Amino acid sequence: MDVLSLEAKMKQILVITDGCSNVGESPIEAAADARRQGIAVNVIGVVEKGEMGGAGRDEVMRIAEAGNGMCRIVQPSDLSATAQMMTHQTMQLTLQQAVNAELKSVLGKTQEELPPEERARVTSVVDKLQEELHLDLIVLIDTSASMKHKMDMVREAVRDLSFSLSARMGSSRVAVAVFPGQRGNWVETVQTFSATLDPKALERCYVASGGTPTGPAIRHALQLFQEKTESGIDEQWAALD
């Protein structure tokens, strides 16, 4: 089996929020749709003492489970390191699942069932793929009123994540959207897919009042992925990379 034949592309959504969604469709259903499209949904719950009760924690975990992603509940100061860690760990986990599926279909075994020497060789290939694959990432930022005093940490985390991804051998494109948006919009794109983030665009991660439309935000991200594919930008970037 040549695991290098696996399609070296990956799509992820990273949701950063501090509470329960209460506007629009169910975020669990939207995340399940993302999973069916091969898009992982990771969720970071940004909390401080006394915030995000049991319902909020349960929801963020269910979103990540439905989206075949990871969920972490963190303090604002840990947000930057967590965003980077989750992005890379999800890439590795998704690749591992793909490799095991191919091994099972060809050899009737998973990586864990291989002899030590062959297992080590497959692990090496997975690590190489993780570093070299193309990643498309959409960061969805909860900008409801309760996030006001956390926004500086959120901006810093998104910038650090962008710097981390730009250091990879493989190409990465990152887009950012906020929810809720301005002028009554549930979601608003702050920056479309780009190899680097525009600091001025990040400053538009303003704080808005109103509800928390997490479900519509995830649906918006799926639409951005679809529009990117239909526009032919993927092929244009592939030629440049």
Side-chain angles (χ1 to χ4, degrees):
M1 182 203 67
D2 180 8
V3 291
L4 286 173
S5 65
L6 292 170
E7 185 179 11
K9 295 181 181 179
M10 189 170 296
K11 298 177 181 179
Q12 290 189 25
I13 296 171
L14 174 61
V15 183
I16 301 175
T17 182
D18 74 343
C20 298
S21 61
N22 54 15
V23 179
E25 71 174 291
S26 163
I28 289 91
E29 293 179 5
D33 280 348
R35 179 176 187 166
R36 284 189 283 270
Q37 296 177 38
I39 301 170
V41 182
N42 296 323
V43 188
I44 300 179
V46 189
V47 303
E48 292 180 328
K49 290 183 179 180
E51 293 186 271
M52 188 182 277
R57 290 174 181 269
D58 178 66
E59 181 182 82
V60 296
M61 288 188 288
R62 290 177 63 199
I63 292 171
E65 181 180 6
N68 197 32
M70 296 181 177
C71 176
R72 295 289 185 274
I73 309 297
V74 302
Q75 297 290 321
S77 59
D78 297 326
L79 179 56
S80 181
T82 302
Q84 295 178 53
M85 176 273 294
M86 289 178 67
T87 301
H88 291 293
Q89 284 191 350
T90 308
M91 284 194 289
Q92 185 175 41
L93 177 61
T94 304
L95 283 171
Q96 192 66 65
Q97 292 171 339
V99 167
N100 274 334
E102 188 160 333
L103 283 169
K104 195 72 174 179
S105 66
V106 176
L107 303 178
K109 299 179 180 180
T110 64
Q111 181 179 347
E112 291 72 21
E113 297 168 327
L114 294 174
E117 184 176 340
E118 293 183 25
R119 189 187 314 146
R121 184 170 65 87
V122 172
T123 299
S124 176
V125 172
V126 171
D127 291 342
K128 186 173 185 292
L129 277 174
Q130 179 182 341
E131 182 60 24
E132 295 182 353
L133 61 76
H134 174 89
L135 173 67
D136 284 339
L137 172 67
I138 298 177
V139 182
L140 300 176
I141 301 173
D142 177 355
T143 54
S144 57
S146 60
M147 288 286 288
K148 180 177 181 179
H149 60 291
K150 304 180 183 112
M151 292 312 300
D152 286 342
M153 291 288 188
V154 170
R155 293 189 188 97
E156 179 181 346
V158 176
R159 283 194 295 265
D160 288 348
L161 177 59
S162 177
F163 293 149
S164 171
L165 294 177
S166 67
R168 298 176 58 248
M169 293 177 62
S171 58
S172 302
R173 312 292 183 221
V174 183
V176 180
V178 296
F179 63 100
Q182 288 185 326
R183 296 179 294 277
N185 294 322
W186 280 349
V187 193
E188 182 172 341
T189 301
V190 173
Q191 178 166 323
T192 56
F193 285 101
S194 175
T196 59
L197 288 178
D198 180 358
K200 292 182 179 180
L202 283 183
E203 291 305 315
R204 294 180 58 212
C205 291
Y206 44 78
V207 177
S209 59
T212 307
T214 313
I218 295 174
R219 186 68 61 189
H220 180 79
L222 297 182
Q223 183 64 31
L224 289 179
F225 279 127
Q226 182 178 343
E227 291 173 356
K228 179 175 180 289
T229 299
E230 293 175 349
S231 69
I233 292 178
D234 288 336
E235 289 73 13
Q236 297 172 25
W237 278 341
L240 294 173
D241 292 334

